[in-house]
Amino acid sequence: MPILDPTELAARLPSTIRMGTATSSYQIEGAVDEDGRGPANWDVFCATPGTIADGSSGAVACDHYHRMPDDVALMADLGMEVYRFSIAWPRIMPEGAGRVERRGLDFYDRLVDALLAAGIEPVPTLYHWDLPQALEDAGGWPERDTAGRFADYAQVVVERLGDRVTRWATLNEPWCSSHLGYHAGAHAPGETDAAKAMAAAYNLLRAHHLGGQAVRAASSSAQLGVVLNVTTIHGDDEDAVRALDAIRNRWWLDGCLRGSVPADALEAWSAVLGDAEPDVRSGDLAGETPDWLGVNYYYPEVVTTEPEGVAFPDACVDPARSVPPTGETTAMGWRIDASAFADLLRRVHEGWGPIPIAITENGAAFDDDQPVEGRLPDPRRTTYLSDHLAAVADAAADGVPITDYMAWSLMDNFEWALGYSKRFGIVHVDYDTQVRTPKDSARWYADVVAAVKARR
Ligand code: FCB
């Protein structure tokens, strides 16, 4: 579709929708050795040769740790209303458990105050993949104990910030932490073990529940959420669609919202254990029902059982194989399909709602040019945002209670295993000078946000 006029698009969105951007700690902060921060699993993973496409790491990233006030001012200039960021567990508990590092808490305290002073609601995520290395060394997410340590950490953070922060997300995309980290080997800690990936996936569900209880105990006004990268799955083979759906979507939605895991996923998990049984104990998932759900959407999956399909990074999804995209993709090689986004939102609402849904990430990487005299035209990113915001409007018009839209990302940053080679920002970052330049997509997005506000 052609890029929509901001006023026209705003008129289609719910007037109550709150708009902003999202980032995460390891991707933007840098300053990995400062103020007592302990080592993270990602520091160690990046130091392992061959793991990161450009050999880089988050050691400096966008230097946000030192530039935070300017970055908040930038958001304010763009008229943003909400900001989703994550808190680095290794800054708060450098050894993963026990000792609390006050200077780490102080940083997020200042960030929250700066955001509130700028009229921007802080929406922190407690875990966006940077695990204290001490806990990784102790077995990481496949270990049951890690979930309890997460709850201890959550309590410390919420006790400090809960007087000013209302909306909390426990985990970001726990599918990535488990399947990409312990099965595909593509993310920290880089393991390739299906049984570990499934145990990690289960313990992340436990972490959501235990952490959720800790959040509520520390702040009676907390609105609890979790951020999932569920997606639409197409394909000509029902068994293949069901197999991927069990691991990608239903595991997380059932696990977080219903306190159970799907029987077919449990069977698939049992199958990789041979004689052993999954370590599933009664009461494990009987924690808290979230008040809101965060949905991150980038692209839909297409599955086949044909041998020319490519193996998925997920454990336990046989017989599903991935159909490589044809047609236009983003620089990540991801399909572009906004109508699948509207379908996803309708499905989540009908199947697991009613629950307020925040779009906590959506956006696209493209091979941008360099800024020239303070401008950087990025029409493909603007088109992506325009199409996907129109899809959000369609879903909302069909009754899906969508509360927020947060573009990924505020600025170019460390894109995990792809390093700095992929740029998702609506603001360009020059990594040599750390100069930030709003791309044309940011200007357009700011106009949409202003037009939404003008409707209230
Ligand atoms: C999501 C992650 C986020 C970012 C985007 C592109 O899976 O949550 O950190 O890397 O993808």
Side-chain angles (χ1 to χ4, degrees):
M1 280 211 301
I3 295 167
L4 290 170
D5 169 73
T7 311
E8 208 180 296
L9 175 55
R12 291 168 60 177
L13 287 163
S15 63
T16 50
I17 195 167
R18 296 174 63 78
M19 302 182 70
T21 60
T23 63
S24 88
S25 48
Y26 191 73
Q27 294 181 275
I28 66 165
E29 285 178 1
V32 292
D33 292 323
E34 275 176 63
D35 288 346
R37 177 187 179 276
N41 58 346
W42 272 90
D43 298 324
V44 173
F45 186 64
C46 292
T48 312
T51 54
I52 310 298
D54 56 5
S56 66
S57 76
V60 177
C62 306
D63 196 32
H64 170 74
Y65 196 76
H66 299 119
R67 291 162 198 268
M68 180 272 283
D70 290 345
D71 289 336
V72 173
L74 174 64
M75 283 184 247
D77 283 349
L78 294 171
M80 298 295 121
E81 300 182 278
V82 287
Y83 177 48
R84 173 172 174 254
F85 59 96
S86 79
I87 293 171
W89 188 346
R91 287 198 192 282
I92 310 300
M93 289 181 160
E95 292 91 31
R99 189 178 68 85
V100 173
E101 174 52 77
R102 184 187 46 77
R103 291 171 293 175
L105 283 170
D106 290 347
F107 172 72
Y108 297 105
D109 203 272
R110 293 194 300 275
L111 170 59
V112 163
D113 282 347
L115 288 165
L116 291 173
I120 301 168
E121 185 199 352
V123 184
T125 303
L126 288 162
Y127 182 70
H128 197 129
W129 309 353
D130 39 3
L131 187 71
Q133 180 60 28
L135 293 182
E136 197 71 77
D137 290 339
W141 288 110
E143 272 300 317
R144 280 182 68 92
D145 193 49
T146 306
R149 300 291 72 73
F150 174 71
D152 297 343
Y153 150 72
Q155 182 187 334
V156 166
V157 173
V158 178
E159 276 173 358
R160 177 70 181 264
L161 303 178
D163 58 335
R164 284 152 292 154
V165 169
T166 308
R167 287 196 289 174
W168 294 93
T170 50
L171 309 174
N172 175 70
E173 301 191 358
W175 172 82
C176 295
S177 310
S178 45
H179 292 269
L180 296 184
Y182 294 94
H183 181 257
H187 280 188
E191 296 203 35
T192 51
D193 180 328
K196 280 193 181 178
M198 293 305 291
Y202 187 70
N203 287 325
L204 281 152
L205 288 178
R206 292 182 48 244
H208 165 70
H209 286 277
L210 286 170
Q213 286 171 330
V215 169
R216 290 206 198 279
S219 164
S220 56
S221 58
Q223 294 284 307
L224 185 72
V226 60
V227 172
L228 304 178
N229 56 327
V230 287
T231 196
T232 301
I233 303 170
H234 300 290
D236 47 18
D237 184 280
E238 265 182 45
D239 289 339
V241 171
R242 200 177 307 113
L244 188 69
D245 187 50
I247 296 293
R248 233 8 123 76
N249 296 325
R250 287 183 281 116
W251 177 276
W252 307 106
L253 290 163
D254 284 0
C256 294
L257 301 175
R258 291 186 179 150
S260 63
V261 283
D264 49 354
L266 260 185
E267 269 171 41
W269 183 7
S270 298
V272 294
L273 291 178
D275 294 338
E277 283 295 311
D279 191 357
V280 169
R281 304 183 196 171
S282 98
D284 271 351
L285 307 182
E288 294 294 337
T289 307
D291 301 303
W292 60 279
L293 175 68
V295 169
N296 291 356
Y297 173 82
Y298 291 94
Y299 62 94
E301 295 286 9
V302 183
V303 303
T304 181
T305 51
E306 298 299 321
E308 57 269 26
V310 176
F312 278 108
D314 323 49
C316 300
V317 294
D318 285 345
R321 296 178 71 78
S322 169
V323 177
T326 48
E328 200 198 351
T329 60
T330 69
M332 298 290 280
W334 294 344
R335 279 187 182 85
I336 302 177
D337 185 345
S339 68
F341 188 18
D343 292 344
L344 171 71
L345 294 170
R346 284 187 282 256
R347 180 188 179 209
V348 170
H349 172 62
E350 280 158 23
W352 288 269
I355 182 167
I357 295 178
I359 310 306
T360 35
E361 285 181 31
N362 175 238
F366 289 106
D367 294 328
D368 297 325
D369 295 330
Q370 291 297 317
V372 176
E373 289 168 16
R375 291 299 290 262
L376 200 169
D378 58 339
R380 290 202 289 168
R381 183 172 292 102
T382 311
T383 303
Y384 183 99
L385 293 175
S386 175
D387 289 351
H388 286 74
L389 273 162
V392 168
D394 288 346
D398 288 341
V400 184
I402 296 170
T403 57
D404 303 71
Y405 178 91
M406 308 185 205
W408 184 271
S409 181
L410 170 65
M411 56 189 159
D412 296 333
N413 58 48
F414 176 74
E415 180 44 38
W416 307 111
L418 296 164
Y420 299 96
S421 66
K422 303 296 172 209
R423 292 178 177 268
F424 275 90
I426 58 171
V427 172
H428 176 271
V429 176
D430 179 326
Y431 295 112
D432 294 329
T433 60
Q434 293 293 351
V435 168
R436 279 80 160 125
T437 307
K439 303 176 190 177
D440 282 2
S441 56
R443 294 166 183 256
W444 173 88
Y445 187 57
D447 288 346
V448 177
V449 178
V452 168
K453 287 185 190 166
R455 290 186 55 210
R456 292 187 198 136

